[in-house]
Amino acid sequence: MSSTAEKHKIGLAIATIVGMNAMIGSGVFAVPSALASNVGPAGILTYAFVIVAVWCMGTSIARLAKLYPEEGSFYTYSKQWGGHFLGLLSAGSYLIGLFIAMGLLSQTAGLYLHKYLSFFSPYTWGMLTLFTLTFLNTLGVVLSEAGQMVLICTTVFPLLATIILCLTKADFSHLQPFMPYGVISIFSAAKAVIFGFFGFECAASLFTVVKNPEKNVSRALTLAIVLVSILYLLFVASLILAVPLHYLSLQMPLSEILETIFPHNKWLIFGIHVSILSAIIGTIHSMIWSSSALLISYLRKFKTLFIQQLFEKNLMNQKNAVLFVGVCILISFLTLKNIDLFFSFTALFIIFAFATSMITLLTLKKEWQSKENIKTVIGLITAGVIFCFALKGIIDNLYS
Protein backbone atom coordinates (compact mmCIF):
# COMPACT_ATOMS: atom_id res chain seq x y z
CA MET A 1 0.00 0.00 0.00
CA SER A 2 2.76 2.44 0.96
CA SER A 3 4.75 1.67 -2.22
CA THR A 4 1.64 2.39 -4.33
CA ALA A 5 1.11 5.70 -2.56
CA GLU A 6 4.78 6.55 -3.09
CA LYS A 7 4.41 6.03 -6.85
CA HIS A 8 1.70 8.68 -6.98
CA LYS A 9 3.88 11.27 -5.26
CA ILE A 10 5.59 13.99 -7.29
CA GLY A 11 9.32 14.46 -7.73
CA LEU A 12 11.57 17.48 -7.34
CA ALA A 13 10.98 18.84 -10.87
CA ILE A 14 7.17 18.82 -10.63
CA ALA A 15 7.28 20.20 -7.08
CA THR A 16 9.42 23.08 -8.35
CA ILE A 17 6.92 23.81 -11.15
CA VAL A 18 4.05 23.74 -8.63
CA GLY A 19 5.97 26.22 -6.49
CA MET A 20 6.56 28.48 -9.49
CA ASN A 21 2.87 28.30 -10.48
CA ALA A 22 1.88 29.37 -6.96
CA MET A 23 4.33 32.26 -6.97
CA ILE A 24 4.21 33.75 -10.46
CA GLY A 25 1.21 36.02 -10.40
CA SER A 26 -0.33 38.75 -12.48
CA GLY A 27 0.43 41.20 -9.64
CA VAL A 28 3.96 41.64 -11.01
CA PHE A 29 2.56 43.76 -13.87
CA ALA A 30 1.36 46.40 -11.41
CA VAL A 31 4.81 46.82 -9.80
CA PRO A 32 6.91 48.71 -12.43
CA SER A 33 4.75 51.83 -12.03
CA ALA A 34 5.34 51.89 -8.27
CA LEU A 35 9.09 51.37 -8.68
CA ALA A 36 9.42 54.10 -11.31
CA SER A 37 7.49 56.60 -9.17
CA ASN A 38 9.20 55.89 -5.85
CA VAL A 39 12.60 54.24 -6.37
CA GLY A 40 13.96 54.63 -9.89
CA PRO A 41 16.50 52.18 -11.37
CA ALA A 42 17.51 51.18 -7.82
CA GLY A 43 14.30 49.18 -7.80
CA ILE A 44 16.54 46.30 -8.96
CA LEU A 45 18.06 46.37 -5.45
CA THR A 46 14.54 46.28 -3.97
CA TYR A 47 14.02 43.01 -5.80
CA ALA A 48 17.30 41.65 -4.41
CA PHE A 49 16.17 42.51 -0.85
CA VAL A 50 12.73 40.95 -1.36
CA ILE A 51 14.26 37.78 -2.85
CA VAL A 52 16.30 37.25 0.34
CA ALA A 53 13.20 37.95 2.47
CA VAL A 54 11.00 35.56 0.47
CA TRP A 55 13.58 32.76 0.59
CA CYS A 56 14.04 33.05 4.36
CA MET A 57 10.30 33.29 5.00
CA GLY A 58 9.54 30.51 2.51
CA THR A 59 11.97 28.01 4.03
CA SER A 60 10.64 28.88 7.50
CA ILE A 61 7.03 28.27 6.44
CA ALA A 62 8.18 24.99 4.83
CA ARG A 63 9.64 23.83 8.16
CA LEU A 64 6.39 24.76 9.90
CA ALA A 65 4.42 22.74 7.34
CA LYS A 66 6.64 19.76 8.07
CA LEU A 67 6.23 20.12 11.84
CA TYR A 68 2.48 20.81 11.76
CA PRO A 69 0.99 19.14 8.64
CA GLU A 70 -2.60 20.00 9.58
CA GLU A 71 -5.41 21.95 7.96
CA GLY A 72 -5.40 25.59 8.90
CA SER A 73 -1.76 26.54 8.28
CA PHE A 74 -1.46 30.09 9.70
CA TYR A 75 -3.98 29.35 12.46
CA THR A 76 -2.16 26.13 13.37
CA TYR A 77 1.32 27.69 13.27
CA SER A 78 0.52 30.83 15.27
CA LYS A 79 -1.54 29.14 17.97
CA GLN A 80 1.47 27.05 19.01
CA TRP A 81 2.90 30.01 20.90
CA GLY A 82 0.03 32.55 20.93
CA GLY A 83 -3.01 30.35 21.54
CA HIS A 84 -6.40 30.17 19.85
CA PHE A 85 -6.98 33.93 19.59
CA LEU A 86 -3.66 34.69 17.90
CA GLY A 87 -4.23 31.76 15.55
CA LEU A 88 -7.55 33.29 14.47
CA LEU A 89 -5.96 36.73 14.16
CA SER A 90 -3.11 35.41 12.01
CA ALA A 91 -5.32 33.38 9.65
CA GLY A 92 -7.86 36.21 9.44
CA SER A 93 -5.11 38.68 8.61
CA TYR A 94 -3.95 36.48 5.74
CA LEU A 95 -7.48 36.32 4.31
CA ILE A 96 -7.94 40.09 4.53
CA GLY A 97 -4.64 40.56 2.69
CA LEU A 98 -5.89 38.30 -0.12
CA PHE A 99 -9.17 40.23 -0.40
CA ILE A 100 -7.32 43.54 -0.71
CA ALA A 101 -4.92 42.13 -3.32
CA MET A 102 -7.86 40.90 -5.40
CA GLY A 103 -9.39 44.39 -5.23
CA LEU A 104 -6.26 45.81 -6.87
CA LEU A 105 -6.25 43.10 -9.55
CA SER A 106 -9.93 43.83 -10.28
CA GLN A 107 -9.09 47.49 -10.83
CA THR A 108 -6.14 46.48 -13.04
CA ALA A 109 -8.40 44.19 -15.09
CA GLY A 110 -10.70 47.16 -15.72
CA LEU A 111 -7.74 49.22 -16.90
CA TYR A 112 -6.70 46.55 -19.43
CA LEU A 113 -10.25 45.92 -20.68
CA HIS A 114 -10.82 49.66 -21.21
CA LYS A 115 -7.88 49.96 -23.61
CA TYR A 116 -9.69 48.10 -26.42
CA LEU A 117 -13.27 48.29 -25.10
CA SER A 118 -13.51 51.97 -24.23
CA PHE A 119 -17.34 52.20 -24.17
CA PHE A 120 -17.14 51.56 -20.39
CA SER A 121 -14.79 53.26 -17.95
CA PRO A 122 -11.95 51.22 -16.35
CA TYR A 123 -13.85 51.44 -13.05
CA THR A 124 -17.01 49.94 -14.58
CA TRP A 125 -15.06 47.20 -16.36
CA GLY A 126 -13.31 46.29 -13.12
CA MET A 127 -16.61 45.98 -11.27
CA LEU A 128 -18.20 43.95 -14.09
CA THR A 129 -15.18 41.61 -14.07
CA LEU A 130 -15.50 41.03 -10.33
CA PHE A 131 -19.27 40.45 -10.52
CA THR A 132 -18.90 38.02 -13.45
CA LEU A 133 -16.11 35.98 -11.86
CA THR A 134 -17.91 35.81 -8.52
CA PHE A 135 -21.08 34.62 -10.28
CA LEU A 136 -19.15 31.94 -12.19
CA ASN A 137 -17.64 30.70 -8.94
CA THR A 138 -21.07 30.42 -7.30
CA LEU A 139 -22.00 28.08 -10.17
CA GLY A 140 -18.97 25.96 -9.38
CA VAL A 141 -17.10 26.96 -12.54
CA VAL A 142 -13.45 26.58 -11.54
CA LEU A 143 -10.29 26.36 -13.62
CA SER A 144 -9.50 22.82 -14.71
CA GLU A 145 -5.97 21.41 -14.77
CA ALA A 146 -5.74 22.52 -18.42
CA GLY A 147 -6.98 25.96 -17.36
CA GLN A 148 -4.22 26.19 -14.79
CA MET A 149 -1.64 25.40 -17.50
CA VAL A 150 -3.11 28.14 -19.70
CA LEU A 151 -2.97 30.54 -16.74
CA ILE A 152 0.75 29.97 -16.13
CA CYS A 153 1.45 30.35 -19.87
CA THR A 154 -0.47 33.64 -20.06
CA THR A 155 1.64 34.93 -17.17
CA VAL A 156 5.03 33.75 -18.37
CA PHE A 157 4.55 34.75 -22.04
CA PRO A 158 4.20 38.53 -21.46
CA LEU A 159 7.15 38.44 -19.05
CA LEU A 160 9.43 36.72 -21.58
CA ALA A 161 8.10 38.72 -24.55
CA THR A 162 8.63 42.00 -22.69
CA ILE A 163 12.16 40.98 -21.67
CA ILE A 164 13.16 40.09 -25.25
CA LEU A 165 11.49 43.18 -26.72
CA CYS A 166 13.04 45.59 -24.23
CA LEU A 167 16.54 44.12 -24.46
CA THR A 168 16.56 45.00 -28.18
CA LYS A 169 16.39 48.65 -27.17
CA ALA A 170 18.37 48.61 -23.92
CA ASP A 171 20.00 51.93 -23.08
CA PHE A 172 22.28 51.99 -20.02
CA SER A 173 21.88 55.77 -19.76
CA HIS A 174 18.40 55.02 -18.33
CA LEU A 175 20.15 53.79 -15.18
CA GLN A 176 21.14 57.35 -14.33
CA PRO A 177 20.41 58.71 -11.82
CA PHE A 178 20.42 55.26 -10.21
CA MET A 179 19.00 56.19 -6.81
CA PRO A 180 17.06 59.47 -7.23
CA TYR A 181 14.90 58.96 -4.13
CA GLY A 182 17.61 57.84 -1.70
CA VAL A 183 18.54 54.56 0.02
CA ILE A 184 15.37 54.40 2.13
CA SER A 185 13.23 54.20 -1.02
CA ILE A 186 14.78 50.79 -1.83
CA PHE A 187 13.30 49.28 1.33
CA SER A 188 10.11 51.32 1.26
CA ALA A 189 9.17 49.85 -2.13
CA ALA A 190 9.55 46.27 -0.85
CA LYS A 191 5.85 46.26 0.05
CA ALA A 192 5.04 46.62 -3.65
CA VAL A 193 7.65 44.18 -4.96
CA ILE A 194 6.68 41.38 -2.57
CA PHE A 195 3.13 41.63 -4.01
CA GLY A 196 4.39 39.71 -7.04
CA PHE A 197 5.85 36.92 -4.87
CA PHE A 198 2.85 36.21 -2.63
CA GLY A 199 1.86 32.60 -3.12
CA PHE A 200 5.28 31.17 -2.26
CA GLU A 201 3.77 29.91 1.00
CA CYS A 202 1.54 27.50 -0.96
CA ALA A 203 4.58 25.46 -2.04
CA ALA A 204 5.38 24.76 1.60
CA SER A 205 2.27 22.60 1.92
CA LEU A 206 3.62 19.87 -0.39
CA PHE A 207 4.97 17.54 2.31
CA THR A 208 2.22 14.97 1.87
CA VAL A 209 2.55 14.72 -1.92
CA VAL A 210 6.32 14.95 -2.57
CA LYS A 211 8.80 12.10 -2.61
CA ASN A 212 11.47 12.41 0.10
CA PRO A 213 9.80 15.61 1.42
CA GLU A 214 12.44 16.36 4.08
CA LYS A 215 14.90 17.22 1.30
CA ASN A 216 12.78 17.87 -1.76
CA VAL A 217 10.31 20.44 -0.39
CA SER A 218 13.12 22.73 0.71
CA ARG A 219 14.97 22.17 -2.59
CA ALA A 220 11.82 22.76 -4.66
CA LEU A 221 11.04 25.93 -2.74
CA THR A 222 14.58 27.25 -3.22
CA LEU A 223 14.62 26.37 -6.93
CA ALA A 224 11.19 27.92 -7.48
CA ILE A 225 12.20 31.15 -5.72
CA VAL A 226 15.51 31.32 -7.65
CA LEU A 227 13.88 30.75 -11.05
CA VAL A 228 11.02 33.18 -10.41
CA SER A 229 13.46 35.75 -9.01
CA ILE A 230 15.63 35.56 -12.15
CA LEU A 231 12.53 35.99 -14.34
CA TYR A 232 11.29 38.97 -12.32
CA LEU A 233 14.72 40.61 -12.19
CA LEU A 234 15.14 40.32 -15.97
CA PHE A 235 11.62 41.67 -16.48
CA VAL A 236 12.14 44.77 -14.34
CA ALA A 237 15.73 45.38 -15.45
CA SER A 238 14.80 45.17 -19.15
CA LEU A 239 11.93 47.61 -18.65
CA ILE A 240 14.17 50.08 -16.82
CA LEU A 241 16.83 49.82 -19.56
CA ALA A 242 14.40 50.34 -22.45
CA VAL A 243 11.64 52.60 -21.12
CA PRO A 244 12.17 56.11 -19.72
CA LEU A 245 11.02 56.28 -16.09
CA HIS A 246 8.40 58.97 -16.73
CA TYR A 247 6.55 56.50 -18.98
CA LEU A 248 6.68 53.71 -16.41
CA SER A 249 5.35 55.97 -13.67
CA LEU A 250 2.11 56.59 -15.59
CA GLN A 251 -0.98 54.70 -14.43
CA MET A 252 -1.65 52.90 -17.70
CA PRO A 253 -1.46 49.31 -19.00
CA LEU A 254 2.06 48.04 -19.62
CA SER A 255 1.10 47.24 -23.22
CA GLU A 256 0.19 50.88 -23.82
CA ILE A 257 3.61 51.99 -22.60
CA LEU A 258 5.33 49.40 -24.81
CA GLU A 259 3.29 50.60 -27.81
CA THR A 260 4.78 54.06 -27.38
CA ILE A 261 8.35 52.73 -27.29
CA PHE A 262 7.89 50.01 -29.93
CA PRO A 263 5.36 51.39 -32.45
CA HIS A 264 6.32 48.77 -35.09
CA ASN A 265 5.55 45.74 -32.89
CA LYS A 266 1.83 46.25 -32.45
CA TRP A 267 0.80 42.62 -32.95
CA LEU A 268 3.29 41.33 -30.40
CA ILE A 269 2.24 44.03 -27.94
CA PHE A 270 -1.42 43.17 -28.55
CA GLY A 271 -0.53 39.57 -27.66
CA ILE A 272 1.19 40.78 -24.50
CA HIS A 273 -1.89 42.83 -23.60
CA VAL A 274 -4.28 39.89 -24.08
CA SER A 275 -1.98 37.55 -22.13
CA ILE A 276 -1.71 39.95 -19.20
CA LEU A 277 -5.48 40.43 -19.17
CA SER A 278 -6.02 36.65 -19.28
CA ALA A 279 -3.54 36.18 -16.44
CA ILE A 280 -5.25 38.82 -14.28
CA ILE A 281 -8.75 37.43 -14.90
CA GLY A 282 -7.57 33.85 -14.36
CA THR A 283 -5.85 34.80 -11.11
CA ILE A 284 -8.93 36.58 -9.74
CA HIS A 285 -11.15 33.66 -10.76
CA SER A 286 -8.89 31.08 -9.07
CA MET A 287 -8.36 33.18 -5.96
CA ILE A 288 -12.07 33.76 -5.37
CA TRP A 289 -12.56 29.99 -5.20
CA SER A 290 -9.47 29.22 -3.11
CA SER A 291 -10.22 32.13 -0.75
CA SER A 292 -13.75 30.82 -0.22
CA ALA A 293 -12.32 27.41 0.71
CA LEU A 294 -9.88 29.10 3.10
CA LEU A 295 -12.76 31.10 4.59
CA ILE A 296 -14.76 27.94 5.35
CA SER A 297 -11.70 26.32 6.93
CA TYR A 298 -11.08 29.49 8.95
CA LEU A 299 -14.64 29.80 10.26
CA ARG A 300 -14.58 26.17 11.42
CA LYS A 301 -11.88 27.20 13.90
CA PHE A 302 -14.33 29.48 15.74
CA LYS A 303 -15.95 28.02 18.82
CA THR A 304 -18.98 30.31 18.97
CA LEU A 305 -22.53 28.97 18.84
CA PHE A 306 -23.45 31.39 16.07
CA ILE A 307 -20.76 30.08 13.70
CA GLN A 308 -21.60 26.48 14.53
CA GLN A 309 -25.25 27.09 13.70
CA LEU A 310 -24.28 28.62 10.34
CA PHE A 311 -22.70 25.31 9.38
CA GLU A 312 -25.45 23.17 10.91
CA LYS A 313 -28.13 25.04 8.95
CA ASN A 314 -25.97 24.93 5.80
CA LEU A 315 -25.92 28.73 5.64
CA MET A 316 -22.16 28.63 5.41
CA ASN A 317 -21.50 26.55 2.31
CA GLN A 318 -19.20 26.94 -0.68
CA LYS A 319 -21.67 29.09 -2.65
CA ASN A 320 -22.31 31.54 0.22
CA ALA A 321 -18.60 31.62 1.03
CA VAL A 322 -17.90 32.66 -2.57
CA LEU A 323 -20.50 35.45 -2.30
CA PHE A 324 -18.97 36.66 0.97
CA VAL A 325 -15.50 36.68 -0.60
CA GLY A 326 -16.88 38.62 -3.58
CA VAL A 327 -18.37 41.24 -1.24
CA CYS A 328 -15.07 41.58 0.65
CA ILE A 329 -13.15 42.09 -2.60
CA LEU A 330 -15.78 44.63 -3.72
CA ILE A 331 -15.28 46.62 -0.51
CA SER A 332 -11.55 46.70 -1.23
CA PHE A 333 -12.24 47.68 -4.85
CA LEU A 334 -14.58 50.54 -3.86
CA THR A 335 -12.70 52.00 -0.91
CA LEU A 336 -9.03 51.94 -1.99
CA LYS A 337 -8.18 54.24 -4.89
CA ASN A 338 -4.44 54.72 -4.33
CA ILE A 339 -2.23 51.90 -5.63
CA ASP A 340 0.26 52.49 -2.82
CA LEU A 341 -2.50 51.85 -0.27
CA PHE A 342 -3.31 48.54 -1.97
CA PHE A 343 0.34 47.46 -1.74
CA SER A 344 0.67 48.73 1.84
CA PHE A 345 -2.48 47.08 3.22
CA THR A 346 -1.82 43.79 1.40
CA ALA A 347 1.75 43.60 2.70
CA LEU A 348 0.72 44.65 6.22
CA PHE A 349 -1.87 41.90 6.66
CA ILE A 350 -0.06 39.06 4.88
CA ILE A 351 3.33 39.81 6.45
CA PHE A 352 1.63 39.81 9.88
CA ALA A 353 0.40 36.26 9.17
CA PHE A 354 3.88 35.16 8.09
CA ALA A 355 5.64 36.73 11.06
CA THR A 356 3.26 35.44 13.73
CA SER A 357 3.61 31.95 12.25
CA MET A 358 7.41 32.04 12.03
CA ILE A 359 7.80 33.06 15.68
CA THR A 360 6.74 29.50 16.60
CA LEU A 361 10.11 28.26 15.27
CA LEU A 362 11.92 30.50 17.76
CA THR A 363 10.25 28.60 20.61
CA LEU A 364 11.60 25.21 19.45
CA LYS A 365 14.95 24.10 20.88
CA LYS A 366 15.81 21.77 17.99
CA GLU A 367 15.43 24.62 15.48
CA TRP A 368 18.17 26.49 17.33
CA GLN A 369 20.33 23.39 17.62
CA SER A 370 20.11 22.74 13.87
CA LYS A 371 20.91 26.43 13.21
CA GLU A 372 17.85 26.61 10.93
CA ASN A 373 16.60 29.53 13.00
CA ILE A 374 19.28 31.73 11.46
CA LYS A 375 17.05 31.85 8.37
CA THR A 376 14.01 32.37 10.58
CA VAL A 377 15.61 35.39 12.28
CA ILE A 378 16.65 36.90 8.93
CA GLY A 379 13.14 36.24 7.61
CA LEU A 380 11.57 37.95 10.63
CA ILE A 381 13.90 40.96 10.34
CA THR A 382 13.15 41.43 6.64
CA ALA A 383 9.44 40.86 7.30
CA GLY A 384 9.63 43.49 10.03
CA VAL A 385 11.20 45.99 7.63
CA ILE A 386 8.47 45.40 5.02
CA PHE A 387 5.77 45.57 7.71
CA CYS A 388 7.06 48.90 9.09
CA PHE A 389 7.26 50.53 5.67
CA ALA A 390 3.80 49.20 4.80
CA LEU A 391 2.44 50.76 8.00
CA LYS A 392 4.27 54.01 7.22
CA GLY A 393 2.79 53.99 3.71
CA ILE A 394 -0.72 53.70 5.15
CA ILE A 395 -0.16 56.50 7.67
CA ASP A 396 1.42 58.80 5.05
CA ASN A 397 -1.48 58.24 2.62
CA LEU A 398 -4.24 58.62 5.18
CA TYR A 399 -2.87 61.81 6.71
CA SER A 400 -1.37 63.52 3.66
Side-chain angles (χ1 to χ4, degrees), residues 24-31 101-113 125-126 129-130 133 137 143 150-156 158 195 252-255 272-288 329 333:
I24 297 178
S26 55
V28 68
F29 301 111
V31 173
M102 290 307 102
L104 172 58
L105 289 186
S106 297
Q107 287 193 6
T108 307
L111 199 65
Y112 276 80
L113 281 166
W125 273 124
T129 300
L130 178 56
L133 295 178
N137 272 284
L143 286 183
V150 170
L151 178 57
I152 189 65
C153 289
T154 57
T155 308
V156 172
F195 190 91
M252 62 171 62
L254 175 62
S255 53
I272 291 173
H273 182 95
V274 171
S275 292
I276 293 174
L277 180 59
S278 299
I280 293 170
I281 290 175
T283 299
I284 299 169
H285 183 69
S286 296
M287 288 305 299
I288 288 173
I329 297 172
F333 178 93

Side-chain angles (χ1 to χ4, degrees), residues 46-199:
T46 306
Y47 266 89
F49 170 73
V50 170
I51 288 165
V52 172
V54 166
W55 181 70
C56 290
M57 286 189 282
T59 53
S60 297
I61 297 295
R63 298 204 310 279
L64 284 165
K66 176 185 174 182
L67 290 167
Y68 309 102
E70 308 165 29
E71 182 188 25
S73 58
F74 292 109
Y75 168 84
T76 302
Y77 307 154
S78 299
K79 79 167 185 177
Q80 303 304 318
W81 69 275
H84 174 68
F85 177 75
L86 184 64
L88 291 176
L89 196 62
S90 179
S93 181
Y94 181 73
L95 272 171
I96 293 170
L98 290 183
F99 299 154
I100 294 170
M102 290 307 102
L104 172 58
L105 289 186
S106 297
Q107 287 193 6
T108 307
L111 199 65
Y112 276 80
L113 281 166
H114 175 73
K115 177 172 170 54
Y116 291 107
L117 301 169
S118 56
F119 50 86
F120 286 143
S121 69
Y123 185 83
T124 302
W125 273 124
M127 191 174 295
L128 287 173
T129 300
L130 178 56
F131 286 163
T132 302
L133 295 178
T134 301
F135 175 70
L136 288 174
N137 272 284
T138 62
L139 299 179
V141 179
V142 295
L143 286 183
S144 62
E145 187 174 326
Q148 292 291 346
M149 292 301 294
V150 170
L151 178 57
I152 189 65
C153 289
T154 57
T155 308
V156 172
F157 168 74
L159 287 172
L160 292 176
T162 300
I163 290 168
I164 294 168
L165 196 62
C166 288
L167 287 179
T168 65
K169 209 166 185 176
D171 183 351
F172 285 91
S173 68
H174 288 160
L175 293 177
Q176 300 298 327
F178 185 69
M179 203 181 296
Y181 301 99
V183 176
I184 296 297
S185 67
I186 294 171
F187 301 100
S188 177
K191 61 181 181 288
V193 171
I194 201 170
F195 190 91
F197 285 90
F198 285 138

Side-chain angles (χ1 to χ4, degrees), residues 242-300:
V243 182
L245 284 182
H246 69 272
Y247 281 118
L248 286 176
S249 61
L250 299 174
Q251 293 293 323
M252 62 171 62
L254 175 62
S255 53
E256 195 169 328
I257 297 170
L258 293 176
E259 249 182 14
T260 305
I261 307 300
F262 303 96
H264 303 298
N265 298 91
K266 288 190 176 180
W267 282 109
L268 177 59
I269 293 168
F270 176 76
I272 291 173
H273 182 95
V274 171
S275 292
I276 293 174
L277 180 59
S278 299
I280 293 170
I281 290 175
T283 299
I284 299 169
H285 183 69
S286 296
M287 288 305 299
I288 288 173
W289 183 263
S290 59
S291 296
S292 65
L294 279 174
L295 177 66
I296 290 174
S297 173
Y298 174 62
L299 290 176
R300 289 189 185 280

Side-chain angles (χ1 to χ4, degrees), residues 57 354-356 358-359 362 375-385:
M57 286 189 282
F354 289 154
T356 50
M358 290 162 61
I359 289 173
L362 302 183
K375 287 181 282 188
T376 307
V377 171
I378 295 172
L380 283 169
I381 291 171
T382 51
V385 170

